[in-house]
Amino acid sequence: EGSSHCLGELLAQELHRQITAYVEFRHYMPGAHLLPLDPPFGLHHTFVLLELDGGARDLCFEKFSDPLEVMLLCGEKKARLAHVSHFRATGEPRSVSEFRP
């Protein structure tokens, strides 16, 4: 399970890195397919992945319910993308549905 840390502590070693790419993920809410609306309108949950230094690391930002969740990802790129697609910063699995990318 994830733990709460000060955002400054998490990012202290990363502040010198450049943001080199941005990916926005949209996971559709259950039942969203019944009322299809074009983005950015539709019933979906969005989170953002910032690539740092050409892929050295990734930062994921997501607002789920009330708190802002931040996840720093290191390691192999495919594994980082798989992790952020399937788990939140808290460690909770994301909802699985046929409509989720």
Side-chain angles (χ1 to χ4, degrees), residues 11-95:
L11 300 180
Q13 301 297 315
E14 310 304 320
L15 292 176
H16 68 283
R17 299 188 186 275
Q18 291 184 344
I19 297 171
T20 51
Y22 166 95
V23 179
E24 181 179 327
F25 291 82
R26 291 185 178 157
H27 285 192
Y28 289 92
M29 304 288 193
H33 65 284
L34 300 173
L35 182 63
L37 299 170
D38 292 329
F41 303 107
L43 302 169
H44 60 269
H45 174 72
T46 301
F47 55 98
V48 175
L49 189 66
L50 301 178
E51 177 188 86
L52 305 177
D53 283 350
R57 301 194 190 302
D58 292 308
L59 270 174
C60 180
F61 292 92
E62 149 175 35
K63 184 144 172 63
F64 192 87
S65 295
D66 206 21
L68 176 67
E69 297 178 6
V70 180
M71 184 171 18
L72 176 63
L73 300 122
C74 308
E76 200 269 325
K77 185 71 173 177
K78 278 185 169 180
R80 293 188 312 230
L81 288 174
H83 183 81
V84 78
S85 294
H86 291 90
F87 297 96
R88 293 181 28 221
T90 61
E92 275 185 70
R94 298 189 185 280
S95 308

